[in-house]
Structures are given as structure tokens and as C-alpha cells.
Amino acid sequence: MSTMFYDVFQVLICLLAVLLAGGLVWFIKEKIGVEKMKKISSELYANKELAAAAVRYAQQVFWNQAGEIRYQKAAEWMSTQCKKVGLNIADSEIKTLIESALRAFKDEFGEEWGKAIAEPAGAEGTE
């Protein structure tokens, strides 16, 4: 009888060990997933902020240039800034982020955005 009890006890211990190991693996996978999502989220936020800064930079510095030139200057500036801080971002992503930031500014400021482009700060009345 004690041998049977010992065998059942061994099987239960093995099952418990398998369950604990499986739970530990699941916990680690979940934790890694959460950490990865946090990293992706923070990189996306940083990219959006850089795109907004790039648009503001291009609009202020190159206000008298054509829109395509301002876009190009914003993209160049953003690419340089991303490299400085170690963000790896494709040109297509830069384009999308800049267009998104520009759309957000246009939506937020409406007609005032267009007026600011036509007449940059300090240029009114200097004709």
C-alpha cells in the first residue's frame, strides 16, 4: 500500500510541477508582451511628437517655400532627430507621421493654419 501511495504522490508532484512550469511560462510570455507593448506605445508617442515638431519647424523656418519643400525639410529634420535618439524609422513611416501631424494641425486650427502659412508671424504689414 505504501508503494502505491508513493507512486500516486510522485505522479501528483510531477503534475504540480508541470502546471507550475506552464503557469510560469505563461506569466513570462504575458509580461514580455506587456513590456513590448509599452515600448511600442512609447516609441509611437515619441514619433508623433517628433513629427509634430518637424511640421512646426518646417512651417516656421520655410514659410515662404512651396508645400512640397516644407514637407521635404520636415522629413529631413525628423529623420536626423530620430537618428540622434536612436529611433529606427522608415521613410514611409516618416511621411505618414508628418502627414498625420499636418492633418491634426489643420483640424485643430482650421482656417487660422492657412492664414499663418500665408502670413507668418511678424510678416504682417511689411509689404
Side-chain angles (χ1 to χ4, degrees):
M1 176 117 170
S2 68
T3 308
M4 187 171 98
F5 176 75
Y6 179 73
D7 291 340
V8 169
F9 184 71
Q10 271 188 318
V11 169
L12 289 175
I13 293 296
C14 288
L15 284 173
L16 183 62
V18 168
L19 289 174
L20 286 174
L24 183 60
V25 168
W26 174 82
F27 176 77
I28 290 171
K29 283 183 180 178
E30 287 296 312
K31 185 67 174 166
I32 289 172
V34 168
E35 293 302 318
K36 189 172 184 177
M37 289 303 295
K38 284 181 183 177
K39 181 181 178 200
I40 290 169
S41 178
S42 68
E43 283 182 10
L44 181 59
Y45 179 77
N47 290 345
K48 284 181 172 183
E49 290 299 308
L50 274 173
V55 168
R56 287 190 299 268
Y57 159 75
Q59 297 297 81
Q60 291 172 0
V61 175
F62 303 100
W63 63 268
N64 60 346
Q65 301 291 317
E68 186 57 35
I69 293 171
R70 288 193 307 264
Y71 162 76
Q72 192 61 38
K73 295 297 183 180
E76 289 170 7
W77 184 87
M78 185 171 173
S79 179
T80 301
Q81 298 308 310
C82 285
K83 288 175 185 169
K84 281 183 182 178
V85 296
L87 292 173
N88 187 16
I89 185 165
D91 290 343
S92 60
E93 287 179 89
I94 288 175
K95 179 180 179 183
T96 301
L97 287 163
I98 288 173
E99 288 173 357
S100 176
L102 187 55
R103 174 82 276 157
F105 283 131
K106 286 180 179 179
D107 289 347
E108 183 175 349
F109 298 114
E111 290 180 22
E112 293 301 314
W113 182 261
K115 288 178 187 175
I117 301 308
E119 284 185 20
E124 54 279 332
T126 58
E127 296 174 23

